[in-house]
PDB file of all heavy atoms in Angstrom:
ATOM      1  N   ILE U 195      21.056 -13.253 -65.788  1.00  0.00           N
ATOM      2  CA  ILE U 195      21.964 -12.278 -66.409  1.00  0.00           C
ATOM      3  C   ILE U 195      21.132 -11.175 -67.060  1.00  0.00           C
ATOM      4  O   ILE U 195      20.124 -11.456 -67.705  1.00  0.00           O
ATOM      5  CB  ILE U 195      22.858 -12.961 -67.472  1.00  0.00           C
ATOM      6  CG1 ILE U 195      23.696 -14.074 -66.821  1.00  0.00           C
ATOM      7  CG2 ILE U 195      23.771 -11.954 -68.159  1.00  0.00           C
ATOM      8  CD1 ILE U 195      24.368 -15.004 -67.807  1.00  0.00           C
ATOM      9  N   VAL U 196      21.565  -9.931 -66.888  1.00  0.00           N
ATOM     10  CA  VAL U 196      20.878  -8.802 -67.520  1.00  0.00           C
ATOM     11  C   VAL U 196      21.786  -8.179 -68.586  1.00  0.00           C
ATOM     12  O   VAL U 196      22.963  -8.527 -68.698  1.00  0.00           O
ATOM     13  CB  VAL U 196      20.471  -7.739 -66.470  1.00  0.00           C
ATOM     14  CG1 VAL U 196      19.412  -8.302 -65.538  1.00  0.00           C
ATOM     15  CG2 VAL U 196      21.684  -7.263 -65.661  1.00  0.00           C
ATOM     16  N   ASP U 197      21.231  -7.258 -69.357  1.00  0.00           N
ATOM     17  CA  ASP U 197      21.964  -6.703 -70.502  1.00  0.00           C
ATOM     18  C   ASP U 197      23.060  -5.721 -70.114  1.00  0.00           C
ATOM     19  O   ASP U 197      24.080  -5.621 -70.795  1.00  0.00           O
ATOM     20  CB  ASP U 197      20.996  -6.008 -71.466  1.00  0.00           C
ATOM     21  CG  ASP U 197      20.129  -7.007 -72.204  1.00  0.00           C
ATOM     22  OD1 ASP U 197      20.546  -8.181 -72.311  1.00  0.00           O
ATOM     23  OD2 ASP U 197      19.049  -6.628 -72.676  1.00  0.00           O
ATOM     24  N   HIS U 198      22.830  -4.963 -69.023  1.00  0.00           N
ATOM     25  CA  HIS U 198      23.788  -3.921 -68.664  1.00  0.00           C
ATOM     26  C   HIS U 198      24.036  -3.908 -67.153  1.00  0.00           C
ATOM     27  O   HIS U 198      23.136  -4.233 -66.372  1.00  0.00           O
ATOM     28  CB  HIS U 198      23.280  -2.539 -69.108  1.00  0.00           C
ATOM     29  CG  HIS U 198      23.000  -2.451 -70.573  1.00  0.00           C
ATOM     30  ND1 HIS U 198      23.999  -2.333 -71.513  1.00  0.00           N
ATOM     31  CD2 HIS U 198      21.826  -2.476 -71.267  1.00  0.00           C
ATOM     32  CE1 HIS U 198      23.457  -2.282 -72.718  1.00  0.00           C
ATOM     33  NE2 HIS U 198      22.140  -2.371 -72.592  1.00  0.00           N
ATOM     34  N   VAL U 199      25.215  -3.490 -66.780  1.00  0.00           N
ATOM     35  CA  VAL U 199      25.585  -3.402 -65.367  1.00  0.00           C
ATOM     36  C   VAL U 199      24.650  -2.446 -64.629  1.00  0.00           C
ATOM     37  O   VAL U 199      24.266  -2.701 -63.486  1.00  0.00           O
ATOM     38  CB  VAL U 199      27.050  -2.936 -65.209  1.00  0.00           C
ATOM     39  CG1 VAL U 199      27.395  -2.757 -63.732  1.00  0.00           C
ATOM     40  CG2 VAL U 199      27.995  -3.937 -65.844  1.00  0.00           C
ATOM     41  N   VAL U 200      24.253  -1.361 -65.290  1.00  0.00           N
ATOM     42  CA  VAL U 200      23.392  -0.376 -64.630  1.00  0.00           C
ATOM     43  C   VAL U 200      22.026  -0.978 -64.300  1.00  0.00           C
ATOM     44  O   VAL U 200      21.398  -0.611 -63.300  1.00  0.00           O
ATOM     45  CB  VAL U 200      23.230   0.902 -65.485  1.00  0.00           C
ATOM     46  CG1 VAL U 200      24.533   1.683 -65.535  1.00  0.00           C
ATOM     47  CG2 VAL U 200      22.740   0.562 -66.885  1.00  0.00           C
ATOM     48  N   VAL U 201      21.568  -1.906 -65.136  1.00  0.00           N
ATOM     49  CA  VAL U 201      20.301  -2.588 -64.860  1.00  0.00           C
ATOM     50  C   VAL U 201      20.441  -3.431 -63.607  1.00  0.00           C
ATOM     51  O   VAL U 201      19.579  -3.432 -62.724  1.00  0.00           O
ATOM     52  CB  VAL U 201      19.882  -3.468 -66.057  1.00  0.00           C
ATOM     53  CG1 VAL U 201      18.622  -4.270 -65.716  1.00  0.00           C
ATOM     54  CG2 VAL U 201      19.655  -2.615 -67.296  1.00  0.00           C
ATOM     55  N   LYS U 202      21.548  -4.155 -63.525  1.00  0.00           N
ATOM     56  CA  LYS U 202      21.806  -4.974 -62.341  1.00  0.00           C
ATOM     57  C   LYS U 202      21.861  -4.109 -61.082  1.00  0.00           C
ATOM     58  O   LYS U 202      21.264  -4.445 -60.057  1.00  0.00           O
ATOM     59  CB  LYS U 202      23.113  -5.733 -62.510  1.00  0.00           C
ATOM     60  CG  LYS U 202      23.541  -6.507 -61.275  1.00  0.00           C
ATOM     61  CD  LYS U 202      24.907  -7.124 -61.453  1.00  0.00           C
ATOM     62  CE  LYS U 202      25.413  -7.718 -60.155  1.00  0.00           C
ATOM     63  NZ  LYS U 202      26.744  -8.318 -60.272  1.00  0.00           N
ATOM     64  N   GLN U 203      22.565  -2.994 -61.165  1.00  0.00           N
ATOM     65  CA  GLN U 203      22.698  -2.110 -60.008  1.00  0.00           C
ATOM     66  C   GLN U 203      21.344  -1.562 -59.567  1.00  0.00           C
ATOM     67  O   GLN U 203      21.053  -1.476 -58.370  1.00  0.00           O
ATOM     68  CB  GLN U 203      23.662  -0.963 -60.347  1.00  0.00           C
ATOM     69  CG  GLN U 203      25.103  -1.418 -60.526  1.00  0.00           C
ATOM     70  CD  GLN U 203      25.987  -0.321 -61.097  1.00  0.00           C
ATOM     71  OE1 GLN U 203      25.510   0.659 -61.676  1.00  0.00           O
ATOM     72  NE2 GLN U 203      27.292  -0.498 -60.938  1.00  0.00           N
ATOM     73  N   ALA U 204      20.502  -1.222 -60.540  1.00  0.00           N
ATOM     74  CA  ALA U 204      19.180  -0.690 -60.221  1.00  0.00           C
ATOM     75  C   ALA U 204      18.303  -1.753 -59.566  1.00  0.00           C
ATOM     76  O   ALA U 204      17.602  -1.488 -58.578  1.00  0.00           O
ATOM     77  CB  ALA U 204      18.515  -0.172 -61.493  1.00  0.00           C
ATOM     78  N   VAL U 205      18.361  -2.965 -60.101  1.00  0.00           N
ATOM     79  CA  VAL U 205      17.561  -4.064 -59.555  1.00  0.00           C
ATOM     80  C   VAL U 205      17.997  -4.390 -58.130  1.00  0.00           C
ATOM     81  O   VAL U 205      17.183  -4.556 -57.223  1.00  0.00           O
ATOM     82  CB  VAL U 205      17.676  -5.313 -60.458  1.00  0.00           C
ATOM     83  CG1 VAL U 205      17.110  -6.533 -59.749  1.00  0.00           C
ATOM     84  CG2 VAL U 205      16.952  -5.091 -61.771  1.00  0.00           C
ATOM     85  N   GLU U 206      19.292  -4.480 -57.923  1.00  0.00           N
ATOM     86  CA  GLU U 206      19.822  -4.850 -56.607  1.00  0.00           C
ATOM     87  C   GLU U 206      19.619  -3.760 -55.570  1.00  0.00           C
ATOM     88  O   GLU U 206      19.744  -4.008 -54.369  1.00  0.00           O
ATOM     89  CB  GLU U 206      21.305  -5.206 -56.716  1.00  0.00           C
ATOM     90  CG  GLU U 206      21.542  -6.501 -57.489  1.00  0.00           C
ATOM     91  CD  GLU U 206      23.015  -6.882 -57.534  1.00  0.00           C
ATOM     92  OE1 GLU U 206      23.866  -6.021 -57.219  1.00  0.00           O
ATOM     93  OE2 GLU U 206      23.316  -8.044 -57.880  1.00  0.00           O
ATOM     94  N   ALA U 207      19.304  -2.560 -56.017  1.00  0.00           N
ATOM     95  CA  ALA U 207      19.046  -1.460 -55.086  1.00  0.00           C
ATOM     96  C   ALA U 207      17.670  -1.581 -54.435  1.00  0.00           C
ATOM     97  O   ALA U 207      17.424  -0.992 -53.372  1.00  0.00           O
ATOM     98  CB  ALA U 207      19.163  -0.121 -55.814  1.00  0.00           C
ATOM     99  N   ASP U 208      16.785  -2.351 -55.052  1.00  0.00           N
ATOM    100  CA  ASP U 208      15.462  -2.559 -54.475  1.00  0.00           C
ATOM    101  C   ASP U 208      15.591  -3.288 -53.136  1.00  0.00           C
ATOM    102  O   ASP U 208      16.288  -4.294 -53.023  1.00  0.00           O
ATOM    103  CB  ASP U 208      14.622  -3.405 -55.443  1.00  0.00           C
ATOM    104  CG  ASP U 208      13.235  -3.673 -54.893  1.00  0.00           C
ATOM    105  OD1 ASP U 208      12.347  -2.851 -55.111  1.00  0.00           O
ATOM    106  OD2 ASP U 208      13.066  -4.725 -54.237  1.00  0.00           O
ATOM    107  N   ARG U 209      14.884  -2.778 -52.113  1.00  0.00           N
ATOM    108  CA  ARG U 209      15.086  -3.307 -50.763  1.00  0.00           C
ATOM    109  C   ARG U 209      14.623  -4.760 -50.627  1.00  0.00           C
ATOM    110  O   ARG U 209      15.191  -5.524 -49.855  1.00  0.00           O
ATOM    111  CB  ARG U 209      14.412  -2.425 -49.715  1.00  0.00           C
ATOM    112  CG  ARG U 209      12.912  -2.301 -49.834  1.00  0.00           C
ATOM    113  CD  ARG U 209      12.377  -1.231 -48.885  1.00  0.00           C
ATOM    114  NE  ARG U 209      10.942  -1.041 -49.029  1.00  0.00           N
ATOM    115  CZ  ARG U 209      10.024  -1.687 -48.320  1.00  0.00           C
ATOM    116  NH1 ARG U 209      10.402  -2.580 -47.416  1.00  0.00           N
ATOM    117  NH2 ARG U 209       8.740  -1.448 -48.498  1.00  0.00           N
ATOM    118  N   HIS U 210      13.612  -5.164 -51.387  1.00  0.00           N
ATOM    119  CA  HIS U 210      13.138  -6.549 -51.317  1.00  0.00           C
ATOM    120  C   HIS U 210      14.144  -7.510 -51.946  1.00  0.00           C
ATOM    121  O   HIS U 210      14.425  -8.574 -51.403  1.00  0.00           O
ATOM    122  CB  HIS U 210      11.775  -6.671 -52.023  1.00  0.00           C
ATOM    123  CG  HIS U 210      10.733  -5.764 -51.460  1.00  0.00           C
ATOM    124  ND1 HIS U 210      10.189  -5.965 -50.210  1.00  0.00           N
ATOM    125  CD2 HIS U 210      10.144  -4.645 -51.965  1.00  0.00           C
ATOM    126  CE1 HIS U 210       9.295  -5.010 -49.963  1.00  0.00           C
ATOM    127  NE2 HIS U 210       9.254  -4.203 -51.019  1.00  0.00           N
ATOM    128  N   ILE U 211      14.669  -7.099 -53.092  1.00  0.00           N
ATOM    129  CA  ILE U 211      15.686  -7.921 -53.764  1.00  0.00           C
ATOM    130  C   ILE U 211      16.950  -7.973 -52.921  1.00  0.00           C
ATOM    131  O   ILE U 211      17.576  -9.030 -52.760  1.00  0.00           O
ATOM    132  CB  ILE U 211      16.008  -7.352 -55.168  1.00  0.00           C
ATOM    133  CG1 ILE U 211      14.760  -7.366 -56.049  1.00  0.00           C
ATOM    134  CG2 ILE U 211      17.149  -8.134 -55.806  1.00  0.00           C
ATOM    135  CD1 ILE U 211      14.157  -8.737 -56.255  1.00  0.00           C
ATOM    136  N   ARG U 212      17.313  -6.834 -52.359  1.00  0.00           N
ATOM    137  CA  ARG U 212      18.522  -6.763 -51.535  1.00  0.00           C
ATOM    138  C   ARG U 212      18.424  -7.695 -50.332  1.00  0.00           C
ATOM    139  O   ARG U 212      19.393  -8.348 -49.937  1.00  0.00           O
ATOM    140  CB  ARG U 212      18.765  -5.327 -51.091  1.00  0.00           C
ATOM    141  CG  ARG U 212      20.140  -5.116 -50.444  1.00  0.00           C
ATOM    142  CD  ARG U 212      20.478  -3.645 -50.317  1.00  0.00           C
ATOM    143  NE  ARG U 212      19.531  -2.951 -49.439  1.00  0.00           N
ATOM    144  CZ  ARG U 212      18.655  -2.040 -49.858  1.00  0.00           C
ATOM    145  NH1 ARG U 212      18.582  -1.724 -51.139  1.00  0.00           N
ATOM    146  NH2 ARG U 212      17.828  -1.445 -49.004  1.00  0.00           N
ATOM    147  N   LYS U 213      17.221  -7.813 -49.774  1.00  0.00           N
ATOM    148  CA  LYS U 213      17.013  -8.693 -48.628  1.00  0.00           C
ATOM    149  C   LYS U 213      17.304 -10.143 -48.991  1.00  0.00           C
ATOM    150  O   LYS U 213      17.967 -10.871 -48.230  1.00  0.00           O
ATOM    151  CB  LYS U 213      15.571  -8.555 -48.131  1.00  0.00           C
ATOM    152  CG  LYS U 213      15.217  -9.506 -46.992  1.00  0.00           C
ATOM    153  CD  LYS U 213      13.742  -9.396 -46.631  1.00  0.00           C
ATOM    154  CE  LYS U 213      13.370 -10.407 -45.557  1.00  0.00           C
ATOM    155  NZ  LYS U 213      11.919 -10.366 -45.216  1.00  0.00           N
ATOM    156  N   VAL U 214      16.822 -10.587 -50.165  1.00  0.00           N
ATOM    157  CA  VAL U 214      17.056 -11.967 -50.601  1.00  0.00           C
ATOM    158  C   VAL U 214      18.536 -12.196 -50.882  1.00  0.00           C
ATOM    159  O   VAL U 214      19.117 -13.216 -50.475  1.00  0.00           O
ATOM    160  CB  VAL U 214      16.218 -12.295 -51.852  1.00  0.00           C
ATOM    161  CG1 VAL U 214      16.498 -13.733 -52.317  1.00  0.00           C
ATOM    162  CG2 VAL U 214      14.734 -12.110 -51.578  1.00  0.00           C
ATOM    163  N   LEU U 215      19.163 -11.252 -51.576  1.00  0.00           N
ATOM    164  CA  LEU U 215      20.585 -11.376 -51.901  1.00  0.00           C
ATOM    165  C   LEU U 215      21.441 -11.438 -50.644  1.00  0.00           C
ATOM    166  O   LEU U 215      22.385 -12.240 -50.549  1.00  0.00           O
ATOM    167  CB  LEU U 215      21.029 -10.206 -52.782  1.00  0.00           C
ATOM    168  CG  LEU U 215      20.467 -10.199 -54.215  1.00  0.00           C
ATOM    169  CD1 LEU U 215      20.808  -8.886 -54.905  1.00  0.00           C
ATOM    170  CD2 LEU U 215      21.009 -11.373 -55.018  1.00  0.00           C
TER     171      LEU U 215
END
Side-chain angles (χ1 to χ4, degrees):
I195 300 167
V196 293
D197 289 337
H198 303 284
V199 176
V200 290
V201 175
K202 174 186 172 181
Q203 292 170 341
V205 167
E206 291 183 345
D208 179 87
R209 62 189 177 92
H210 303 290
I211 299 301
R212 191 166 63 248
K213 176 185 176 182
V214 179
L215 291 171

